[in-house]
PDB file of all heavy atoms in Angstrom:
ATOM      1  N   VAL A  34      12.111  -5.986   4.354  1.00 97.00           N
ATOM      2  CA  VAL A  34      11.424  -6.710   3.275  1.00 97.00           C
ATOM      3  C   VAL A  34      12.423  -7.148   2.209  1.00 97.00           C
ATOM      4  O   VAL A  34      12.363  -8.290   1.722  1.00 97.00           O
ATOM      5  CB  VAL A  34      10.303  -5.835   2.673  1.00 97.00           C
ATOM      6  CG1 VAL A  34       9.777  -6.442   1.374  1.00 97.00           C
ATOM      7  CG2 VAL A  34       9.165  -5.676   3.682  1.00 97.00           C
ATOM      8  N   VAL A  48      10.714  -3.970  -5.669  1.00 96.00           N
ATOM      9  CA  VAL A  48      10.406  -3.395  -4.354  1.00 96.00           C
ATOM     10  C   VAL A  48      10.452  -1.866  -4.475  1.00 96.00           C
ATOM     11  O   VAL A  48      11.461  -1.299  -4.898  1.00 96.00           O
ATOM     12  CB  VAL A  48      11.383  -3.892  -3.276  1.00 96.00           C
ATOM     13  CG1 VAL A  48      10.914  -3.448  -1.894  1.00 96.00           C
ATOM     14  CG2 VAL A  48      11.504  -5.413  -3.316  1.00 96.00           C
ATOM     15  N   PRO A  70       1.149   2.754 -15.918  1.00 57.00           N
ATOM     16  CA  PRO A  70       1.736   1.419 -16.063  1.00 57.00           C
ATOM     17  C   PRO A  70       1.176   0.622 -17.242  1.00 57.00           C
ATOM     18  O   PRO A  70       1.522  -0.528 -17.417  1.00 57.00           O
ATOM     19  CB  PRO A  70       1.391   0.747 -14.728  1.00 57.00           C
ATOM     20  CG  PRO A  70       0.225   1.491 -14.192  1.00 57.00           C
ATOM     21  CD  PRO A  70       0.360   2.892 -14.689  1.00 57.00           C
ATOM     22  N   SER A  91      -0.703  -8.556  19.449  1.00 95.00           N
ATOM     23  CA  SER A  91       0.464  -8.138  20.220  1.00 95.00           C
ATOM     24  C   SER A  91       1.604  -7.757  19.286  1.00 95.00           C
ATOM     25  O   SER A  91       1.556  -8.015  18.078  1.00 95.00           O
ATOM     26  CB  SER A  91       0.912  -9.275  21.147  1.00 95.00           C
ATOM     27  OG  SER A  91      -0.145  -9.683  21.998  1.00 95.00           O
ATOM     28  N   PRO A 111     -15.310   2.089   3.222  1.00 88.00           N
ATOM     29  CA  PRO A 111     -14.064   1.322   3.293  1.00 88.00           C
ATOM     30  C   PRO A 111     -13.681   0.808   1.921  1.00 88.00           C
ATOM     31  O   PRO A 111     -14.528   0.571   1.067  1.00 88.00           O
ATOM     32  CB  PRO A 111     -14.406   0.167   4.242  1.00 88.00           C
ATOM     33  CG  PRO A 111     -15.885   0.032   4.166  1.00 88.00           C
ATOM     34  CD  PRO A 111     -16.430   1.388   3.881  1.00 88.00           C
ATOM     35  N   LEU A 208      16.845  14.317  13.367  1.00 72.00           N
ATOM     36  CA  LEU A 208      17.012  15.161  14.554  1.00 72.00           C
ATOM     37  C   LEU A 208      15.707  15.370  15.317  1.00 72.00           C
ATOM     38  O   LEU A 208      15.661  15.147  16.538  1.00 72.00           O
ATOM     39  CB  LEU A 208      17.644  16.499  14.172  1.00 72.00           C
ATOM     40  CG  LEU A 208      17.998  17.429  15.346  1.00 72.00           C
ATOM     41  CD1 LEU A 208      18.946  16.736  16.323  1.00 72.00           C
ATOM     42  CD2 LEU A 208      18.604  18.736  14.842  1.00 72.00           C
TER      43      LEU A 208
END
Side-chain angles (χ1 to χ4, degrees):
V34 168
V48 188
S91 303
L208 186 57

